[in-house]
């Protein structure tokens, strides 16, 4: 096990953690969380032996093989597959020893040595090592043609993937991963989740992707205010535990209730206009879950929202038979038709290289169509965020300078207050942004874009480099804005919580995706299976058929029977079969209205600060219990109501 005894450590003279004592047992998958700069990466440095403790001890088994992802990759001439194979150190040593022994094959001792080496090679499954390396590379998005390409030919992001594949190739006892999803797209992240779930060693993982943490981890090690605290369970379990602790602080309880009521009002607005049953059901469940853990983020350093747009056009933007591509290369899209309305909240899905970022550039006007029409609404005001926006920041200038440049007539104090909502406070407001971290630059670019009050948001991977608290603040702000939105993100929590529709970019087409993100994971698995069989999959047809089939298969038996009955009988009999569903729907709507009305009154009562000042706690416990019961009843009834209406709309 890994044992910490009164451990204290610092970096560059700044104390990070003091007095940490805990145990991490073999086979645990530990998520390491905390604000940027709290000491997460330094703790991994201690485990690697690159840093030393100021006080106390940290012990781990000396015979453990440790693997981690290298920060840099030289421009090597080695083939990519060979570079990944180098991650298995023992394998490479055996191969070198075999070459040396075979040079003296006439020597009896050398022959015996060759036999022993081949025996060990079999024990470590060394003969299958190239196949294992190829599987790792495929999972991380590399093609067969990439295997023999020199490492030097790959871009920085793809070299990070090579480093990750090399670390996974190591048959390690302890695997240390620092933000492994930063340079991955969604399909590679889903693949990595499955790989890590089956990893038999001990994993310590830094990530700001809450869904990734939820799927992979068994424990959370949180660093906060210079202390380490170990939680059993995934990140959501850690949030709930933290929320309960913070809610016990009476100074925060009232604010928690106000924030929960604010989020509930958003849920009610969304529920009233939910149209797509499966996606709406997934969204409502996500929002309800967020309401449960709001208290965990009450003490966040971020406080901002999108200003209300000054006006809208309907449509905001449309593409009509647009042909899209670059120079003389084959077009990426042809006859692309796409309409964005004020209430559009679209998440784009698709494999790496399918054209999602190209589509975003087209929508933003940074790329003109080769043919067809791109037409803007009269009142369109675009807010476009992509990673290249960070390059447009003036490195020698401060956040305040950028704000004054944007709004020269606004009072300086008002601009300082606004930047404070993005945690630019004190000396940071006046510091040159060239020395900022990637996360700080992303926050500044978002602050500048949000300030323009756009009515159409185009967000291409906005959470890259952002920590969990900033991601949560951005998620809530995007939920509440009235602006239309198109989002590309590998953060599934953000997609689930903010998007009403999912569209699939594949095979040169952009089509509505019939399913939710769980269905998309299955779609990816089907797509990979088709590639392994040697054929190029027809993504559009499987989107229309295979995923819809899965959705039907997941329905309750009574729902499936109702759908089949409606298909098989005459119109008169079908109408008779629909009547029980309509009657049940009306009954559910009446019951939901009563429960929601009672819940609103209950939340007003719970927001009364005098309730928490009273020494009598029984009433508070009864009200909280009733609130929990009502919330559960409403969620169950909503799920059934959505299921019924899907059957009625698609008989």
């Amino acid at each position: 096990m890994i044992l910490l005894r009164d451990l204290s450590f610092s970096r560059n003279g700044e104390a990070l953690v003091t007095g940490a004592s805990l145990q991490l047992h073999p086979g645990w998958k530990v998520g390491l969380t905390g604000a940027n700069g709290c000491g997460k990466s330094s703790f991994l440095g201690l485990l690697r032996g690159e840093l030393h403790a100021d006080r106390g001890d940290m012990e781990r088994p000396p015979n453990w093989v440790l693997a981690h992802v290298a920060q840099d990759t030289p421009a090597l001439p080695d083939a990519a597959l060979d570079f990944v194979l180098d991650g298995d150190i023992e394998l490479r040593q055996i191969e070198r020893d075999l070459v040396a022994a075979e040079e003296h094959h006439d020597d009896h001792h050398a022959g015996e040595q060759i036999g022993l080496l081949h025996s060990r090679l079999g024990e470590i499954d060394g003969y299958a090592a190239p196949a294992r390396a190829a599987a790792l590379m495929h999972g991380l998005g590399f093609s067969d043609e990439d295997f023999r390409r020199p490492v030097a030919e790959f871009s920085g992001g793809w070299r990070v993937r090579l480093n990750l594949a090399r670390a996974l190739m190591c048959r390690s006892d302890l695997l240390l991963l620092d933000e492994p999803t930063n340079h991955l797209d969604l399909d590679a992240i889903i693949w990595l989740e499955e790989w890590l779930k089956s990893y038999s060693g001990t994993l310590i993982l830094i990530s700001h992707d809450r869904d990734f943490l939820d799927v992979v981890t068994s424990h959370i090690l949180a660093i906060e205010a210079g202390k380490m605290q170990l939680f059993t369970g995934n990140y959501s379990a850690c949030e709930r535990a933290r929320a309960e602790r913070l809610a016990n602080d009476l100074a925060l309880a009232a604010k928690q209730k106000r924030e929960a009521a604010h989020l509930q009002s958003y849920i009610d607005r969304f529920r009233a206009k939910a149209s797509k049953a499966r996606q709406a059901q997934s969204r409502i469940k996500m929002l309800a879950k967020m309401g449960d853990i709001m208290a965990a983020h009450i003490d966040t350093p971020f406080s901002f929202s999108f200003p209300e747009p000054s006006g809208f056009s309907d449509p905001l933007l449309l593409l009509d038979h647009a042909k899209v591509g670059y120079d003389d290369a084959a077009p990426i899209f042809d006859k692309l038709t796409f309409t964005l309305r004020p209430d559009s909240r679209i998440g784009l899905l698709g494999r790496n290289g399918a054209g999602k970022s190209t589509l975003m550039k087209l929508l933003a006007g940074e790329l003109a169509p080769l043919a067809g029409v791109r037409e803007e609404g009269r009142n369109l005001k675009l807010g476009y965020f992509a990673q290249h926006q960070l390059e447009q920041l003036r490195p020698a200038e401060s956040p305040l300078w950028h704000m004054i440049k944007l709004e020269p007539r606004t009072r300086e104090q008002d601009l300082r207050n606004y930047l404070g909502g993005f945690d630019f406070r004190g000396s940071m407001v006046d510091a040159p942004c060239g020395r900022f971290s990637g996360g700080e630059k992303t926050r500044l670019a978002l602050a500048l874009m949000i300030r323009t009050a756009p009515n159409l948001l185009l967000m291409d991977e906005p959470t890259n480099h952002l920590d969990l608290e900033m991601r949560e603040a951005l998620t809530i702000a995007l939920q509440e804005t009235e602006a239309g939105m198109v989002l590309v993100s590998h953060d599934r929590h953000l997609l689930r919580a903010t998007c009403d529709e999912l569209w699939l970019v594949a095979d040169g087409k952009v089509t509505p995706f019939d399913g939710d993100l769980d269905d998309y994971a299955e779609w990816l698995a089907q797509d990979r299976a088709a590639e392994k069989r040697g054929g190029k999959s027809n993504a559009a047809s499987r989107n229309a058929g295979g995923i819809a089939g899965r959705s039907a298969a997941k329905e309750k038996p009574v729902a499936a029977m109702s759908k089949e009955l409606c298909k098989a009988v005459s119109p008169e009999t079908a109408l008779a079969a629909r009547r029980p569903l309509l009657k049940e729907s009306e009954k559910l709507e009446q019951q939901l209205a009563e429960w929601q009305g009672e819940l609103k009154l209950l939340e007003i009562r719970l927001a009364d600060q005098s309730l928490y000042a009273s020494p009598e706690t029984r009433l508070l416990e009864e009200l909280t219990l009733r609130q929990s019961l009502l919330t559960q009843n409403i969620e169950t009834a909503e799920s059934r109501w959505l299921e019924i209406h899907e059957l009625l709309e698609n008989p």
Side-chain angles (χ1 to χ4, degrees), residues 239-259:
E239 271 192 320
R240 285 192 294 271
R242 188 167 183 267
E244 290 171 4
R245 175 168 58 85
L246 288 174
N248 289 330
D249 185 338
L250 295 183
L252 293 173
K255 184 178 179 184
Q256 176 191 351
K257 294 300 178 184
R258 288 196 301 272
E259 293 287 353

Side-chain angles (χ1 to χ4, degrees), residues 451-467:
R451 188 72 175 184
T452 62
N455 56 23
L456 177 60
L457 297 167
L458 304 175
M459 312 280 280
D460 192 352
E461 296 291 0
T463 61
N464 277 357
H465 308 295
L466 297 182
D467 64 17

Side-chain angles (χ1 to χ4, degrees), residues 267-476:
I267 296 172
D268 294 340
R269 289 203 318 273
F270 170 75
R271 183 187 295 112
K273 62 179 182 180
S275 57
K276 297 203 171 186
R278 278 186 62 75
Q279 292 170 20
Q281 188 173 0
S282 177
R283 178 86 175 280
I284 287 172
K285 287 180 179 178
M286 170 57 67
L287 291 170
K289 178 182 175 184
M290 288 189 67
D292 292 339
I293 52 86
M294 278 295 295
H297 301 278
I298 289 297
D299 57 349
T300 177
F302 307 108
S303 176
F304 62 89
S305 60
F306 285 80
E308 185 175 347
S310 58
F312 290 94
S313 302
D314 192 3
L316 289 168
L317 182 66
L318 67 84
L319 303 173
D320 187 21
H321 286 76
K323 181 178 180 181
V324 189
Y326 298 94
D327 300 328
D328 298 328
I332 298 172
F333 302 106
D334 195 13
K335 297 183 180 179
L336 177 62
T337 298
F338 198 72
T339 302
L340 295 176
R341 309 180 72 91
D343 60 350
S344 295
R345 302 183 70 84
I346 296 170
L348 295 183
L349 305 176
R351 300 194 67 174
N352 186 59
K356 299 186 296 295
S357 292
T358 298
L359 175 59
M360 294 292 271
K361 290 177 183 177
L362 176 69
L363 293 173
E366 291 197 353
L367 183 67
L370 302 174
V373 175
R374 175 189 177 276
E375 184 175 332
E376 297 184 355
R378 185 178 63 178
N379 295 322
L380 175 68
K381 191 170 185 181
L382 274 172
Y384 178 42
F385 178 88
Q387 289 302 304
H388 69 265
Q389 256 73 39
L390 275 60
E391 299 169 5
Q392 297 174 10
L393 298 174
R394 295 281 290 271
E397 306 297 347
S398 67
L400 182 60
W401 181 92
H402 284 86
M403 289 301 304
I404 292 173
K405 184 80 171 177
L406 184 67
E407 297 183 15
R409 297 184 179 181
T410 302
R411 276 196 331 139
E412 181 178 312
Q413 188 57 49
D414 291 340
L415 298 179
R416 288 180 179 272
N417 293 342
Y418 174 75
L419 287 168
F422 293 83
D423 203 24
F424 292 109
R425 298 182 172 91
S427 60
M428 279 195 73
V429 180
D430 300 299
C433 66
R435 67 179 68 165
F436 286 179
S437 68
E440 290 163 344
K441 290 177 181 176
T442 299
R443 275 193 274 132
L444 178 54
L446 282 168
L448 294 170
M449 186 271 287
I450 290 171
R451 188 72 175 184
T452 62
N455 56 23
L456 177 60
L457 297 167
L458 304 175
M459 312 280 280
D460 192 352
E461 296 291 0
T463 61
N464 277 357
H465 308 295
L466 297 182
D467 64 17
L468 281 159
E469 289 293 341
M470 179 59 188
R471 289 186 185 210
E472 199 67 21
L474 179 61
T475 299
I476 292 171

Side-chain angles (χ1 to χ4, degrees), residues 549-571:
R550 177 176 184 260
S551 299
K554 288 174 69 175
E555 292 171 357
K556 295 179 181 179
V558 64
M561 290 168 60
S562 300
K563 185 176 284 188
E564 292 303 315
L565 183 63
C566 290
K567 288 180 178 178
V569 298
S570 66

Side-chain angles (χ1 to χ4, degrees), residues 9 52 116 125 139 146 148 188 295 316 336 357 427 449 458 480 516 545 649:
F9 60 91
H52 298 286
L116 291 172
D125 201 21
D146 291 328
R148 294 300 165 196
L316 289 168
L336 177 62
S357 292
S427 60
M449 186 271 287
L458 304 175
E480 295 176 342
D516 57 19
E649 292 169 7

